[in-house]
Amino acid sequence: MRIGLRSGFVRLFGALLVTTAVLMLVFRYLEGSGEFDLREIGVYGCRAVDSATVAPALRAYLGRPLPGLSARGIESELASIPGIDSAEVLFDLPDRLDVVISLSRPVLVLCDGAAEVALTGRCEPLPPTFLSDTLPRVEISGGDYHRVLPRLAEWASTGGIPDTVDRILVEPSGAVAIATDGMRIILGYSDFDSRMQTFVSSGGRCAMRNGWVEADTRFDGQLVLRGNPSNRAGVSI
């Protein structure tokens, strides 16, 4: 009985080996005849304006055997392109490749007087195709912008900058938000969100109507209102 079972197992194992060998031969034949050569690439999540940078990177893979390509390698190459946050590559045998792209998200526009560049929440520069009039604008007017910009970008990425802010200046006093009514709101070099909340909760939005033109929020929860930006004296509320 054991001999019969062993014999049946050997025959089954032999049949599996033969089948595997045949399949490998067929696969090699099809691969050699170009059946698995990449002929079509589908790209998803990419805007038309970014195709000029994505297309050349993918075009280089056309005509190459699909089984020999590395999904991780292609994903890494695409993720290194400015404006692309990540990419997922899916093989669709015999001859198609699908790529799902996640674009970087711009959070503000930096203006230095000569040019404009969109920045991510990590303060990374993006291609000009990411510029938008709907993004908060930051203008360099002096001060330590290397210290201010990363914190402004992080603040913008959380959606903390109010719609009532027209633009933000980087001055020696730090970040200065310019409200749509012209009020200057000095935020300094840190704690932008809590200092903006101090301005709002202290009635700063109504101060412009009472003749104040500048609100300084750098004093531990107090709001200092000034009628002249060049005058350090003010009224604390």
Side-chain angles (χ1 to χ4, degrees), residues 9 17 44 72 78 97 101 107 109 142 161 171 204 231:
F9 176 77
L17 285 178
Y44 305 92
R72 286 190 178 181
L78 292 174
L97 190 69
I101 289 176
V107 298
V109 174
I161 301 179
E171 298 182 349
N231 186 1

Side-chain angles (χ1 to χ4, degrees), residues 156-211:
S157 68
T158 64
I161 301 179
D163 294 336
T164 52
V165 172
D166 179 62
R167 66 190 188 281
I168 298 176
L169 307 180
V170 179
E171 298 182 349
S173 56
V176 180
I178 308 299
T180 52
D181 59 5
M183 170 69 80
R184 287 170 48 88
I185 309 164
I186 301 179
L187 301 173
Y189 283 90
S190 62
D191 301 325
F192 301 138
D193 194 62
S194 61
R195 290 176 178 179
M196 181 59 74
Q197 292 304 318
T198 297
F199 170 78
V200 174
S201 62
S202 301
R205 289 178 175 172
C206 301
M208 193 76 178
R209 290 180 238 162
N210 298 323

Side-chain angles (χ1 to χ4, degrees), residues 16-171:
L16 288 175
L17 285 178
V18 172
T19 302
T20 302
V22 170
L23 290 175
M24 289 183 64
L25 288 173
V26 171
F27 176 81
R28 293 300 181 189
Y29 171 77
L30 293 175
E31 186 180 31
S33 63
E35 244 352 91
F36 295 115
D37 288 354
L38 181 59
R39 295 181 176 86
E40 186 177 358
I41 301 176
V43 180
Y44 305 92
C46 181
R47 304 174 303 173
V49 292
D50 301 310
S51 60
T53 56
V54 175
L58 293 175
R59 191 180 297 117
Y61 293 100
L62 288 173
R64 294 171 58 178
L66 197 59
L69 299 181
S70 168
R72 286 190 178 181
I74 299 174
E75 290 168 353
S76 298
E77 181 180 355
L78 292 174
S80 68
I81 298 176
I84 295 181
D85 189 59
S86 63
E88 182 182 6
V89 172
L90 305 171
F91 292 156
D92 187 5
L93 293 173
D95 58 2
R96 179 182 169 87
L97 190 69
D98 288 327
V99 180
V100 181
I101 289 176
S102 295
L103 295 176
S104 300
R105 184 171 73 92
V107 298
L108 54 80
V109 174
L110 175 63
C111 312
D112 63 359
E116 297 182 347
V117 61
L119 300 178
T120 68
R122 297 188 295 270
C123 218
E124 299 167 336
L126 294 171
T129 54
F130 286 83
L131 289 171
S132 172
D133 294 336
T134 62
L135 295 172
R137 295 172 61 85
V138 177
E139 300 176 5
I140 305 297
S141 302
D144 188 356
Y145 67 89
H146 291 292
R147 189 172 151 205
V148 175
L149 275 180
R151 294 170 182 173
L152 280 177
E154 183 181 359
W155 186 33
S157 68
T158 64
I161 301 179
D163 294 336
T164 52
V165 172
D166 179 62
R167 66 190 188 281
I168 298 176
L169 307 180
V170 179
E171 298 182 349

